[in-house]
Amino acid sequence: MTPLNIDIDYLHMLILKVRAIMAREETDIPDPGGNASDDEIPATLQDLQNDLAREEVVEEIQGLSAEQQSELVALMWVGRDDGDPADWADLVTQATERRETPAEDYLLGHPLVADYWASGLERLGHESMAGGTGRVR
């Protein structure tokens, strides 16, 4: 099991919050009246004005240390198979070195970030969340 600087229970809470935002947004996609297989869906989590749930997640991520934010990015990479758990320390270093935008913007720019985090935890040997992780391929 790879040690993390972020409490696992805290990560589970963050995953649930982001999943709640994603679930709500899935119902807000407008119907353009075309073929559903051709319709575009938002490429990022929607940034709606006065969206307190999203603001809360942003504040949660901003409240983490720079190292913890880098771990969230590395965890997403591991969860989407862009990095190997054996290279965890290097991935965290790369996340720190490659930072070009605020971590919350980068992370919330990926609509499957919660599923990637859950998968990453599993790949790092940590307990999976109740109800499954929704492993993404």
Side-chain angles (χ1 to χ4, degrees):
M1 180 180 328
T2 303
L4 301 174
N5 290 308
I6 304 173
D7 180 71
I8 299 302
D9 290 334
Y10 177 82
L11 276 172
H12 287 174
M13 178 273 308
L14 193 59
I15 289 168
L16 291 174
K17 284 184 178 186
V18 173
R19 282 184 174 163
I21 294 169
M22 290 186 322
R24 186 185 71 236
E25 288 181 357
E26 287 176 354
T27 62
D28 291 342
I29 297 173
D31 181 9
N35 182 346
S37 65
D38 295 340
D39 294 341
E40 291 185 29
I41 60 172
T44 64
L45 293 176
Q46 298 171 25
D47 190 5
L48 302 174
Q49 192 172 22
N50 299 321
D51 184 352
L52 298 179
R54 187 179 195 287
E55 283 181 32
E56 184 179 337
V57 170
V58 167
E59 289 174 5
E60 291 281 351
I61 296 171
Q62 288 173 339
L64 297 173
S65 70
E67 183 176 5
Q68 290 171 323
Q69 289 177 7
S70 293
E71 283 191 355
L72 281 180
V73 171
L75 186 62
M76 181 183 72
W77 292 343
V78 169
R80 66 181 188 188
D81 294 328
D82 286 343
D84 191 83
D87 299 325
W88 177 251
D90 291 336
L91 290 171
V92 174
T93 299
Q94 286 177 21
T96 301
E97 292 172 350
R98 293 181 181 176
R99 181 175 296 187
E100 295 176 5
T101 62
E104 64 275 9
D105 292 342
Y106 177 74
L107 292 165
L108 297 179
H110 295 83
L112 297 176
V113 67
D115 292 335
Y116 293 143
W117 284 336
S119 295
L121 282 174
E122 209 172 87
R123 290 189 70 208
L124 291 175
H126 292 277
E127 184 178 323
S128 65
M129 295 180 57
T133 63
R135 179 90 174 137
V136 178
R137 282 276 169 206

